[in-house]
Amino acid sequence: MNKRAALTAPCGLDCFNCEFYEENLTHNLLELVHSKMGVPKEAIACRGCREQDGEHFHLPEDGCATLNCVKSRGVDMCSYCAGFPCAFLAPVAEGASRYPHNLKMYNLCRIKKVGIQRWVEEEAGSIRKKYFTGRFAVGRGQAD
């Protein structure tokens, strides 16, 4: 598994495209989070879900329930689980304009269809960009 594939969370989120991923974190965002939220600067940069074992300032104290579930079931990705899909992956409107959580199901389906390597190399960045900047049309989704 290459670095970016390893930086794909079990839920399908592309950690390597996240603004908090250590290689993407800007000084401005670091300062903003530190000053507005009081998060220590050294706790802001993230190395990815798997690398940090689901522990980051934006997650609950007991870590990521989705990651804990995947580990307890012995699967690498949620889409490989017999219980897929489940409530951990259900889309919700709250926070959808700020967080990529509603990408999970689509990403997992694309990974399952084209393979993680192709998804990482060809699709992940454009999917995230369309999610935050694309236009939605009733009955067409994001289809052009």
Side-chain angles (χ1 to χ4, degrees):
M1 186 180 295
N2 77 18
K3 182 178 178 180
R4 290 195 334 164
L7 284 167
T8 300
C11 66
L13 290 181
D14 50 338
C15 297
F16 54 90
N17 283 325
C18 179
E19 60 190 356
F20 289 113
Y21 177 58
E22 62 187 356
E23 293 180 16
N24 302 337
L25 184 64
T26 65
H27 178 74
N28 288 347
L29 182 58
L30 178 83
E31 291 297 330
L32 180 71
V33 171
H34 174 68
S35 66
K36 297 285 184 185
M37 298 175 70
V39 178
K41 290 181 182 181
E42 62 276 4
I44 298 172
C46 184
R47 295 180 316 279
C49 173
R50 296 175 196 270
E51 179 72 24
Q52 293 197 192
D53 201 27
E55 295 179 8
H56 194 245
F57 79 87
H58 73 283
L59 291 168
E61 294 237 354
D62 58 347
C64 177
T66 306
L67 178 63
N68 293 339
C69 178
V70 166
K71 289 181 350 185
S72 74
R73 292 173 180 255
V75 294
D76 193 45
M77 302 290 286
C78 291
S79 55
Y80 303 151
C81 179
F84 176 79
C86 71
F88 286 137
L89 304 170
V92 294
E94 182 182 4
S97 64
R98 293 176 306 194
Y99 304 109
H101 61 271
N102 288 340
L103 292 174
K104 293 174 182 177
M105 283 297 298
Y106 186 70
N107 284 347
L108 287 166
C109 290
R110 293 300 303 161
I111 290 167
K112 201 169 190 177
K113 182 172 183 163
V114 304
I116 193 160
Q117 205 55 50
R118 180 173 163 198
W119 175 82
V120 161
E121 293 170 5
E122 300 176 15
E123 299 185 8
S126 63
I127 290 170
R128 183 180 279 255
K129 183 177 180 181
K130 272 187 161 184
Y131 177 75
F132 285 111
T133 63
R135 299 191 54 84
F136 173 78
V138 174
R140 294 182 57 80
Q142 291 183 356
D144 295 330

